[in-house]
Amino acid sequence: MSQFEFVQVTVAIILGLGVTEILRNLGEQIRHRHVLNICPEQIMASALLLCVTLIYLWSFWSNEAVTWTIVLFAVQAASAISLALAAQLIRIDCASEQTPAEQYYSNSVATYIAWASAPGFAMLFILLSRTDLESVDYVRLMIIPLLLTLGFVHKPLLHRSVILFLLVTVVFGGLNQFSLD
């Protein structure tokens, strides 16, 4: 097993745990839809986090030519861990006394800080691996302040609008990476 394959499997396992948590929570909410009021912000944010995680996993192939060190491995693992942690924090507990909206907004600061650290670690990886700086995706770099803003905004309309903007940006920006060339 090469170093790249080892790192890829490790990152895939960590991200897989995050994807599992997102899907498990969405399934739990669907099962309890007659008892709970669904929080649209949480559903949209979970869908966005799912898309980001899957695109991150796919885009990892671009790191095949990197000469791996323990520091680069740690930065990649930290990025994956921050996405998996965000998936844990965005979760709605169906047995809680709080409403889903109250749960979502009470955890939003920690969720979006964890989530925003993933692209931060990705930028650190690019700098440490001495990858060509022209490959830096400045659109994704600008997503960091938007994610941090989401943690502190508690106005549903603004919150939904920003999440919808990010969803469209990430999905259409990520579709460029799905070519098999």
Side-chain angles (χ1 to χ4, degrees):
M1 179 181 276
S2 71
Q3 289 178 332
F4 171 72
E5 291 168 338
F6 172 77
V7 174
Q8 184 182 30
V9 166
T10 304
V11 168
I13 289 170
I14 295 168
L15 291 175
L17 292 171
V19 168
T20 301
E21 186 61 34
I22 291 169
L23 295 176
R24 180 179 3 178
N25 185 247
L26 289 175
E28 188 175 321
Q29 287 186 62
I30 290 169
R31 281 194 311 274
H32 291 94
R33 70 187 176 279
H34 302 295
V35 179
L36 291 176
N37 293 330
I38 299 295
C39 177
E41 293 88 353
Q42 192 272 339
I43 299 295
M44 291 170 53
S46 292
L48 176 61
L49 184 57
L50 182 64
C51 289
V52 166
T53 302
L54 294 175
I55 290 169
Y56 181 85
L57 187 59
W58 180 262
S59 66
F60 193 78
W61 282 101
S62 63
N63 299 323
E64 190 172 10
V66 171
T67 303
W68 288 95
T69 63
I70 189 68
V71 173
L72 293 178
F73 170 72
V75 170
Q76 277 295 346
S79 185
I81 289 168
S82 64
L83 286 174
L85 178 61
Q88 287 286 330
L89 291 169
I90 205 167
R91 182 179 185 281
I92 298 296
D93 183 11
C94 292
S96 175
E97 299 275 327
Q98 290 181 316
T99 67
E102 289 171 341
Q103 290 181 56
Y104 174 74
Y105 284 115
S106 69
N107 292 329
S108 65
V109 173
T111 300
Y112 288 104
I113 287 174
W115 192 345
S117 64
F121 283 122
M123 289 301 163
L124 180 62
F125 176 81
I126 289 171
L127 292 173
L128 291 175
S129 66
R130 295 184 177 86
T131 305
D132 186 14
L133 290 180
E134 291 177 7
S135 68
V136 174
D137 188 349
Y138 292 103
V139 172
R140 292 212 182 114
L141 185 59
M142 296 312 296
I143 287 175
I144 294 173
L146 283 175
L147 287 171
L148 291 175
T149 301
L150 278 172
F152 296 95
V153 171
H154 294 259
K155 296 180 180 173
L157 182 60
L158 180 62
H159 206 90
R160 291 177 196 161
S161 301
V162 173
I163 292 174
L164 190 60
F165 169 76
L166 288 173
L167 186 59
V168 169
T169 303
V170 166
V171 168
F172 285 118
L175 287 178
N176 295 333
Q177 296 181 8
F178 281 105
S179 66
L180 297 175
D181 297 337

